[in-house]
Every structure is written in C-alpha cells, then in structure tokens.
Amino acid sequence: MSESSLIRMRNIRKSYYIGEPNELEILHGIDLTIESGQFVSIVGQSGSGKSTLMNIIGALDRPTEGSYFLNGLNIAEAGDGDLSGIRNRLIGFVFQTFNLLGRSSALRNVELPMLYAGTPAKERRERAEYLLDLVGMKDRMNHQPNELSGGQKQRVAIARAMVNDPAIILADEPTGALDTATGHMVMDIFHRLHEESKKTILLITHNPELADQTERKLTMQDGYLFEGEAASQ
C-alpha cells in the first residue's frame, strides 16, 4: 500500500449500540486503497454495508475502529470542525437526490461550496459558469431546480461537486433517480471528467452494469469488501 495513496483504510469497523445486548457490527475490518486518478466502483445490494462505508469515506461518519487517511490526512482522528473543512475541500459529493437548494439558481447552487471556502465573488462566478458549461448546463444556469429535469439537476450537482477541485468525487447512486438514457448521459460525464480532467471518482451503486463501466470494481457483501466479484455464498 503506497504512502501516497489517495485513500488508505486499514481494518475499518463500524458498530452500533456498542456495549448493549443488541450491539451490531456493520463493517467487519475493511481494507481499502485507492490511488489518485482511478475510477472505482463499489457495488452491493441494500444492506450490504456500502452506504455505511460511503459515509465513512465521505467523512460524514466515523469508524468504530481502524485508520483512514485521505490525501495524507488522518480522517479518523480529525475533530468535528476539521471534518467540515475536509469535506468542503477534498470531497465532491453527488447524491441520488441531487441535494440542490430549491430557491436558488443553478449558478448559485454551484457557487455555494466556494462561498463556504471563501472564494472571491468574481472567481466564484467564473468557475461556476465554466463548470456548468463543462456539463452542458450553461444555457440554464439561471433556472431554479423546479425548472430542471432530473438529468439536468444531476449535471448541476456534478458541476457543484467539482468547484473546489476536490481530491475525489464521491457519487452515491448518482443515476438511481434517472431513466436509463439520462443515466447513461450522467455516466458519460463521469467518464469525461475521469479521462480529460484526471479526476478520481468513487461510484457507489447497486447496479452491476454501472460498476462494470469503471476501471476497478469492488463488491460489498455482508459487511465485507471484495476486489472484483463477491465471494461465493
């Protein structure tokens, strides 16, 4: 495992109801290494533990045990205030539900993470317009989410994920709310970001066909992580 790996996880465990009779361990000692520039998928059925792992990778939750380094930073030992900054600077999130602000334009939605990062207004607007153009949404940058289709909302969300030039884009079921054709279009954008912008992308999905499109496929099964397909049941 390279010391310069973008993601280095060792023996990550996550338990709930610790010390109680109904204590439940969801993740059973996960080891994961992701190098910069990889396009990786984690595929698994509902209840496999992939959402729990995603929350830890995204610094949205803490492991019960184990070590996690993201871009050289020890995430497992970071304070709560530090985690907010880490999420803003190092991770670009794309969710199934888009998570756009309803009363704000596409442009303002994309600008928002830069506002939290303290980016000057002129630079915010220029970068937001550039990224909206990159995902084919510049002509609708003044539209609010209720004026956009699902695929358009997801393209805005992808532009927003890119604004602070994150170390990794973490996409959690990004096509789950989209029809097949629109889902393909969104995946095409991820492939372009990976190939042309050399972005590291981690795709969380229950869809094996989407996972097969990535250069490296991991499978979650019953709280364990496997390289490639899951172990035989």
Side-chain angles (χ1 to χ4, degrees), residues 94 98 100 110 131-140 149-161 178 182 185-186 189 192:
V94 181
F98 319 125
L100 300 178
V110 174
L131 289 167
L132 284 167
D133 188 36
L134 188 70
V135 299
M137 287 295 293
K138 190 171 183 180
D139 62 334
R140 299 185 73 81
S149 69
Q152 290 170 334
K153 291 176 188 175
Q154 197 59 296
R155 283 189 277 168
V156 172
I158 293 169
R160 180 186 58 191
L178 307 176
T182 307
M185 178 188 67
V186 167
I189 293 174
R192 199 166 79 241

Side-chain angles (χ1 to χ4, degrees), residues 40-207:
V40 182
S41 60
I42 297 179
V43 64
Q45 297 303 310
S46 178
S48 64
K50 68 182 189 300
S51 294
T52 301
L53 180 60
M54 187 279 295
N55 286 336
I56 293 174
I57 293 171
L60 297 166
D61 197 4
R62 296 178 179 275
T64 307
E65 294 180 31
S67 65
Y68 173 26
F69 288 83
L70 173 61
N71 209 28
L73 295 174
N74 190 341
I75 303 301
E77 294 184 357
D80 290 341
D82 296 328
L83 289 181
S84 178
I86 287 166
R87 288 192 296 267
N88 186 259
R89 290 182 292 106
L90 294 182
I91 306 168
F93 293 96
V94 181
F95 295 103
Q96 176 178 338
T97 52
F98 319 125
N99 285 16
L100 300 178
L101 296 179
R103 295 180 178 271
S104 296
S105 67
L107 181 68
R108 290 294 294 168
N109 268 283
V110 174
E111 283 188 74
L112 192 60
M114 291 185 287
L115 184 66
Y116 292 143
T119 307
K122 182 174 183 291
E123 184 180 341
R124 288 202 308 267
R125 184 178 180 93
E126 288 175 353
R127 181 154 178 79
E129 287 186 3
Y130 165 75
L131 289 167
L132 284 167
D133 188 36
L134 188 70
V135 299
M137 287 295 293
K138 190 171 183 180
D139 62 334
R140 299 185 73 81
M141 68 180 184
N142 293 317
H143 289 64
Q144 294 185 3
N146 64 354
E147 301 171 304
L148 302 175
S149 69
Q152 290 170 334
K153 291 176 188 175
Q154 197 59 296
R155 283 189 277 168
V156 172
I158 293 169
R160 180 186 58 191
M162 290 282 291
V163 292
N164 286 333
D165 194 23
I168 187 167
I169 295 176
L170 187 56
D172 184 24
E173 299 283 6
T175 66
L178 307 176
D179 62 67
T180 301
T182 307
H184 284 311
M185 178 188 67
V186 167
M187 285 299 293
D188 286 344
I189 293 174
F190 283 126
H191 285 294
R192 199 166 79 241
L193 291 175
H194 174 239
E195 293 163 8
E196 298 177 6
S197 301
K198 310 303 180 187
K199 276 295 167 190
T200 308
I201 301 172
L202 178 56
L203 172 72
I204 313 293
T205 182
H206 70 276
N207 188 335

